[in-house]
Amino acid sequence: MKIVKRNYLEIKSLKDLVELSKPSEKLEVKLVDPPNFQLNKFFYKQIGKKFNWIDRLVWSDNKWISYLNNENVNTYILKEDNNFVGYYEQIFDKEKSDCEIAYFGILEEYIGKKFGGYLLSEAIKNAFELNPKRIWVHTCSLDHRHALKNYLSRGMKIFKSENISFL
C-alpha cells in the first residue's frame, strides 16, 4: 500500500487568475459539442496511463455516454494545427454554484511547452463564464510533478489536503 497526498485547490475570482498567454498561435481550445465519449475515453486513457487514472477504465460505453450527456458536464479540447494536445472536463454544480475541473491533462509529447499553463488559464476563464462562486480541482502526488505548481501558478489556493491509501 502506498500513501498518496491529495490537494484540493480553488479560485474564487477571475481577477485572481494569473493567466499564461498562448505559447503558440496555432493553439485552439474548443468545446466538444455534441459530446463525444470516444474523445474523452481517448484522453483519459492516454494521459491517465502514467498517472494511475483507473476509476473509469471499467466504464462501459453507455456509462461514458450517460456521463457526458449530463448538461452540467462540458469537455474542452486543446489542439495545435488540428492535432490533439490536451483536454479538460468541467462539471458545474448549480446547487453549490461551483465548477469542478474534473479531469485535466496534456498528452505526453506536448509537456514542457507551456501548453498546460495556457490550457488551465483557458479552463478557468471558461468556467467563470458560468458565474460560479468558485472553481476547484484536486490533484495528487501521483499526477505530473508540475501539476500542483501549475494550479498554484495560475492563482489557485489549496483549501484542503489529505493523505489517502492507494493500492
Side-chain angles (χ1 to χ4, degrees):
M1 186 148 353
K2 185 178 191 176
I3 299 296
V4 174
K5 180 163 183 136
R6 183 183 295 159
N7 289 298
Y8 296 82
L9 299 98
E10 66 186 0
I11 187 168
K12 294 184 175 182
S13 171
L14 187 56
K15 69 179 178 7
D16 295 331
L17 171 63
V18 181
E19 188 174 351
L20 189 66
S21 57
K22 193 185 278 194
S24 164
E25 285 307 310
K26 298 175 181 179
L27 291 175
E28 182 178 35
V29 178
K30 281 195 159 183
L31 173 67
V32 178
D33 187 24
N36 179 340
F37 81 96
Q38 295 288 11
L39 214 45
N40 288 67
K41 229 169 128 172
F42 165 78
F43 279 113
Y44 180 86
K45 287 180 177 181
Q46 291 304 309
I47 294 167
K49 65 185 172 190
K50 279 189 84 171
F51 306 112
N52 292 293
W53 293 2
I54 57 172
D55 55 319
R56 293 184 181 182
L57 294 178
V58 297
W59 280 20
S60 67
D61 288 352
N62 284 340
K63 182 152 181 164
W64 277 100
I65 292 166
S66 175
Y67 167 72
L68 293 171
N69 281 334
N70 178 330
E71 67 178 18
N72 297 315
V73 175
N74 287 312
T75 302
Y76 288 82
I77 301 293
L78 176 63
K79 288 184 172 183
E80 181 185 43
D81 270 347
N82 237 7
N83 296 311
F84 292 135
V85 173
Y87 89 125
Y88 67 91
E89 294 174 8
Q90 71 180 28
I91 304 171
F92 184 65
D93 185 326
K94 290 178 183 176
E95 286 180 21
K96 292 181 182 175
S97 188
D98 71 16
C99 187
E100 176 187 6
I101 299 172
Y103 281 88
F104 176 92
I106 301 290
L107 295 171
E108 191 170 6
E109 59 268 31
Y110 294 99
I111 292 174
K113 298 182 176 186
K114 303 208 180 295
F115 291 0
Y118 168 68
L119 183 58
L120 183 56
S121 296
E122 294 299 301
I124 292 169
K125 289 191 304 186
N126 287 341
F128 272 120
E129 289 177 9
L130 300 169
N131 294 314
K133 291 180 183 166
R134 71 175 184 146
I135 296 159
W136 69 280
V137 66
H138 73 268
T139 189
C140 74
S141 53
L142 296 174
D143 287 337
H144 189 275
R145 68 184 191 278
H146 295 305
L148 180 59
K149 180 181 175 192
N150 187 22
Y151 296 123
L152 292 169
S153 295
R154 301 290 72 78
M156 299 188 95
K157 306 280 187 236
I158 295 172
F159 68 90
K160 178 181 168 185
S161 294
E162 63 187 357
N163 290 320
I164 55 173
S165 299
F166 184 80
L167 299 176

